[in-house]
């Protein structure tokens, strides 16, 4: 695990965080939320994960308390 941790750069983490924060109102059911989902999935693919998936579920919009299609981005990392 330490070898993987050594590959992580602080500048990169900050850049990814700032990019995600730039998506305006990343609340469930918003266009920005879907754009953030796609950004994360694309980053996983760019990092070389070959099993990136979108896991849909029904969430609830914060402001309206109505059911809303929501998503998790998932991927597997096999440590060798």
């Amino acid at each position: 695990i330490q070898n993987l941790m050594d590959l992580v750069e602080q500048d990169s983490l900050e850049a990814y965080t700032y990019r995600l924060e730039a998506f305006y109102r990343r609340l469930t059911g918003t266009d920005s939320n879907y754009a953030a989902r796609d950004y994360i999935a694309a980053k996983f693919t760019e990092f070389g994960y070959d099993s990136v998936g979108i896991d849909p579920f029904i969430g609830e919009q914060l402001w309206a308390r109505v059911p809303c299609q929501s998503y998790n981005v998932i991927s597997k990392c096999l440590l060798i």
Side-chain angles (χ1 to χ4, degrees), residues 1-10 12-13:
I1 292 180
Q2 186 61 47
N3 290 341
L4 290 174
M5 291 173 52
D6 290 342
L7 297 173
V8 177
E9 296 179 11
Q10 183 70 27
S12 296
L13 288 177

Side-chain angles (χ1 to χ4, degrees), residues 26-30 59-68 70:
R26 298 168 314 278
L27 299 173
T28 298
T30 63
E60 188 175 89
Q61 287 181 331
L62 181 63
W63 59 91
R65 300 284 189 220
V66 296
C68 180
S70 304

Side-chain angles (χ1 to χ4, degrees), residues 19-54:
R19 178 61 190 113
L20 284 170
E21 289 174 345
F23 290 108
Y24 182 69
R25 293 189 178 162
R26 298 168 314 278
L27 299 173
T28 298
T30 63
D31 290 341
S32 290
N33 179 251
Y34 302 142
R37 171 203 64 196
D38 295 342
Y39 171 78
I40 293 168
K43 280 294 173 191
F44 282 172
T45 300
E46 181 182 317
F47 294 153
Y49 293 99
D50 59 359
S51 61
V52 178
I54 305 295

